Amino acid sequence: MSAKRRKLGDMEPEEFRREGHRLVDWIADYMGSVELYPVLSRVKPGQIAAALPETAPERGEPFEKILADVDRVLMPGITHWNHPGFFAYFAITGSGPGVLADFLSSALNVQAMLWRTSPSATELEEVVLGWLRDLLGLPEAFEGVIYDTASISTVHALAAAREAVVPDVRTLGLAQRADVPRLRVYCSEHAHSSVDKAVILLGMGHEALRRIDCDDEFRMIPDALAAALVEDTANGWLPVAVVATVGTTSTTSVDPVRDIVEVARPYNVWVHVDAAYAGAAAMVPGFEATLDGADGADSLVVNPHKWLFTPFDLSVLYCRRMDAIRKAFALTPDYLETVEAAPVRNLMDTGVQLGRRFRSLKLWAVLRYFGAKGIRERLAEHIRLARLFAEWVDASDGFTRVAPVPFSVVCFRADADDPFNERLLDAVNAGGEVFLSHTRLQDRFTLRLAVGNLRTTEAHVARAWTILQETALQLPSPVEP
Ligand code: PLP
């Protein structure tokens, strides 16, 4: 161990410089060669844990050795979201500028709870979210705040909605309240499970969530919502919120937000739009209508970490009633009182967490590095690639597409039973060149190909299609469904 490393305090700047260069070289090599790894990790459960020591080291180790263990121990257990053959879930990628800015954010180690704990973090967040709001075509009345994930953004939106209908919930809670009827939240059959979790977390009980039927293109039926509201209010439920989804998780269907807002208005319920994945598409020429009607909603979540090339995690909640969120969460103990007067924003007031990372830095870097034009072109290319794949599926004999393709996700099946489709997916993913995921649609196992990776080209999509077709031919006899 060097004399330098025996001292108290942090790593010396010179050592940091050396190891930092080594790490940046490592990352650049990784980004350049990620295609050589199997996309989906091949390790068995427990394999990585078994390769790690049971106890923390008593004596410090050189950073070089730590990095060597990243290669030796951890890399086999990495599923490569950066791989151009990653077509699963929502295929997200970070990007060079986002990674660099995230590194910088760690270095600054800013904790942006109060304006004074780093004015730049608070003010950059406000400015960057204003830029994004304009790019998405949302009105200025929407104030933005950054959280880690869409799940947490939705919790905050629904907490504000609950506060709006039960103004003393913060003081009295919900338990044993004869004066508060059972609360109801509405979303479509295809809404994300984060809505369920929010309702559970907010003490409304899972039964509070009523899922509304969808049409044959997986969109919420406004008339069914209207009927549910009539029925529930007649039966003594108190409607709290409707969650409309723009880009559902399985098929990326778009609920008719404008109609939903119309139906909800007479009930005075909060309308929250979950545009976690597809919201970004509103930037793309020809896709401006993606967020049609969202200007009439109370809040909207969009995730730059999904389809805006920002390294995980960064979710944005836009809210036209941020005062309701502040009312739900603002609480300032003596030791956090500051002399700065309004209009200074203290970000700790807009949520549960006190400390928060300097996340806006990476979104700022991404928006500046690619520019709005560069981002639009990349999103448009992903949509083009997905639609090309959909054309191949449509023209094929052995496969059928099972949902429209509004954005960059294609849902399809081999013309065979569920077990065959499951085996097909497993075999394709085991090959290591591509990774697709699945969903269930109309109670049938459905394959899903999602394009969203910055490195994915037409050649990769074509290769995925070839692998799917060849693998289907190699599997034992498909059974007609
Ligand atoms: N909403 C939708 C439509 C999603 O598809 C997802 C995740 O894929 C979420 C919310 C949750 O996102 P997060 O992981 O940011 O909580």
Side-chain angles (χ1 to χ4, degrees), residues 90 149-152 192 194 245 247-249 274 276-277 303 305-306 312:
F90 284 124
T149 57
S151 304
I152 296 302
H192 189 258
S194 52
T245 311
T248 54
T249 311
D274 179 354
Y277 152 73
N303 273 5
H305 73 220
K306 275 194 165 47
F312 195 77

Side-chain angles (χ1 to χ4, degrees), residues 14 135 151 163 181 231 249 264 270 304 354 382 385 396 436 455:
E14 275 316 307
L135 291 172
S151 304
E163 182 86 19
E231 183 182 76
T249 311
W270 187 286
L354 173 66
H382 291 165
L385 292 177
S396 80
L436 281 73
R455 289 176 191 80

